[in-house]
Amino acid sequence: MHRRRGAAIAAVAAAAALIATTAPAAAGHPGAAPPATAADTPRLPAGMLDAMQRDLGLDAEQATARAANEHRAALAEPQIRASIGDSFAGSWVQGPASRLVVATTEQDDIAAIEAAGATAEVVPHSLAELETVKESLDDAAGTHATTGAPVWYVDVTSNTVVLHTRQQQAAETLLAAADVSPERVRIVPSAEQPRPYHDLRGGEAYYINNSGRCSVGFPVTRGTSPGFATAGHCGRAGATTQGHNRVAQGTFQASVFPGRDMAWVAVNSSWTPTPQVAGQGGTTVTVAGSAQAPVGAAICRSGSTTGWHCGQIQQHNTSVTYPEGTITGVTRTSVCAEPGDSGGSYISGDQAQGVTSGGSGNCRTGGTTYHQPINPLLSQFGLTLVTSGDGGPDDPGPGDPGGTWAAGTAYRTGDTVTFGGAEYRCLQGHTAQPGWEPSAASSLWQRL
């Protein structure tokens, strides 16, 4: 390990301030979520809170407190992760208070983690070790059939790689092909048969080549070109789209599927991108950024077939096999979805999370879904997420949309910039590049 413990503890002082209010409840109220203040709580429409209450069994106060606590945890986690370095073994939130837990392979990291206000858990394997195992499975899936064992992911809560299978032999064959240690893999029997949600039957949202239907993910820009992010399986480059009202809309500019499930559509001048996601009952949700929420956090999805539904983030960086091939790097959730919801928005609080890829089950009996995370999608295509700082209805005020951030500038940890009307702090030293704008690179920048 090449780090100074004293410096590590000092480096997470800001993280401690962020999540101080998620400390354990007072005696007599174990596990109760602390009260959320206006400053702590991301701006949420009533429709999102209603959906969280319905799908997660919460009352209004619990839903508000949970959103606030998970927002703070998402901001604090990158700082703690950077402070402990290679021994980092993942993080998640748990309990009614959504308390942040950070896993490490080193006893010496406990002080730094607890100094930041999080709970420390010492485990055998680092996140990097487990991700290496998962990458070996990903590589093996390129040359071996995986329909009998269609889902695998790093489960940070159990410190293992989990492999879902309908056939024990299929799981054993994949493990042998990947040449990975069985002690780091947990095989879970499962009847799950994932598929993309693009069983296109009409309705609204957007239409592909005058026939198929998918759902808009998030409005984006590329330079001066407006458009939106969506799922790659919805269309190939060159496919044309119409809006929910059947008005000519745009053209797929780039698409990746399988392997990943990402695409973007450039729209014509008849369409104006806004930092909005269609919410429940005619409400709208304003997108403020794209900080990735931790495992265990509440997350909601908007789609043109089933509307608003909420659940929890179960695992990041999951691999899943569809009939068309294996997809890697998706996030697994307990949110339900159905055909036609593909490409639609996943959001946690006011932070964009990803676009609907596929899953199993439905919104009558429940199910599991997978979404393509938004930040890798933005980076892949050089896109910028349209947020409330870009002149939307909740724009904090006038100003230069570009601010002081500039591509080609070398930024150090702790530097502050403005971008899109908002202020950001640098989390990791780097030289800025197009596509790494503060609003799109939550691993590099924290919105203040």
Side-chain angles (χ1 to χ4, degrees), residues 172-445:
E172 293 173 357
T173 298
L174 181 58
L175 291 179
D179 192 24
V180 299
S181 171
E183 69 182 26
R184 298 184 183 181
V185 179
R186 181 161 56 94
I187 298 175
V188 176
S190 172
E192 188 175 348
Q193 294 181 290
R195 60 192 174 99
Y197 283 122
H198 71 317
D199 195 4
L200 309 168
R201 300 293 186 203
E204 55 182 8
Y206 77 94
Y207 298 84
I208 305 96
N209 291 332
N210 292 307
S211 57
R213 173 172 61 88
C214 273
S215 301
V216 172
F218 293 95
V220 298
T221 58
R222 184 176 182 183
T224 59
S225 298
F228 61 86
T230 190
H233 73 261
C234 288
R236 297 299 185 189
T240 59
T241 68
Q242 295 175 311
H244 62 89
N245 51 7
R246 290 292 191 173
V247 171
Q249 182 188 64
T251 305
F252 275 81
Q253 300 298 297
S255 177
V256 179
F257 180 80
R260 295 297 179 97
D261 197 359
M262 53 175 68
W264 85 281
V265 174
V267 299
N268 59 42
S269 59
S270 296
W271 298 83
T272 301
T274 69
Q276 303 290 327
V277 170
Q280 181 168 296
T283 63
T284 59
V285 180
T286 299
V287 179
S290 58
Q292 186 180 70
V295 169
I299 189 169
C300 297
R301 177 196 55 75
S302 179
S304 60
T305 299
T306 59
W308 266 101
H309 286 275
C310 297
Q312 290 180 280
I313 296 174
Q314 296 174 320
Q315 287 86 25
H316 293 303
N317 195 19
T318 297
S319 294
V320 56
T321 300
Y322 299 142
E324 296 86 347
T326 297
I327 311 299
T328 64
V330 292
T331 294
R332 185 171 184 259
T333 81
S334 63
V335 187
C336 70
E338 295 182 12
D341 286 328
S342 276
S345 318
Y346 277 78
I347 190 165
S348 185
D350 59 3
Q351 299 295 303
Q353 299 297 306
V355 299
T356 305
S357 175
S360 57
N362 55 52
C363 289
R364 296 175 298 281
T365 61
T368 298
T369 54
Y370 304 90
H371 69 257
Q372 165 65 55
I374 189 65
N375 288 329
L377 186 158
L378 297 173
S379 178
Q380 173 77 22
F381 303 129
L383 306 173
T384 299
L385 185 69
V386 176
T387 67
S388 56
D390 299 326
D394 295 323
D395 193 329
D400 177 6
T404 60
W405 180 89
T409 302
Y411 291 106
R412 296 176 297 178
T413 301
D415 286 350
T416 60
V417 299
T418 56
F419 182 83
E423 186 176 7
Y424 296 83
R425 177 186 293 116
C426 181
L427 299 176
Q428 301 180 46
H430 67 285
T431 299
Q433 300 181 28
W436 291 6
E437 290 83 358
S439 62
S442 60
S443 62
L444 299 177
W445 295 97

Side-chain angles (χ1 to χ4, degrees), residues 3-16 79-80 83-84 108-117:
R3 56 187 184 278
R4 296 184 180 91
R5 297 293 168 186
I9 294 174
V12 296
Q79 299 178 51
I80 301 174
S83 76
I84 65 176
D108 290 347
D109 289 332
I110 293 176
I113 294 170
E114 292 182 345

Side-chain angles (χ1 to χ4, degrees), residues 32-34 44 46 48-67 96:
L44 302 178
M48 176 176 283
L49 291 173
D50 288 345
M52 289 175 65
Q53 292 173 60
R54 179 195 66 202
D55 295 337
L56 296 173
L58 307 173
D59 61 29
E61 183 178 355
Q62 290 169 332
T64 301
R66 179 165 183 169

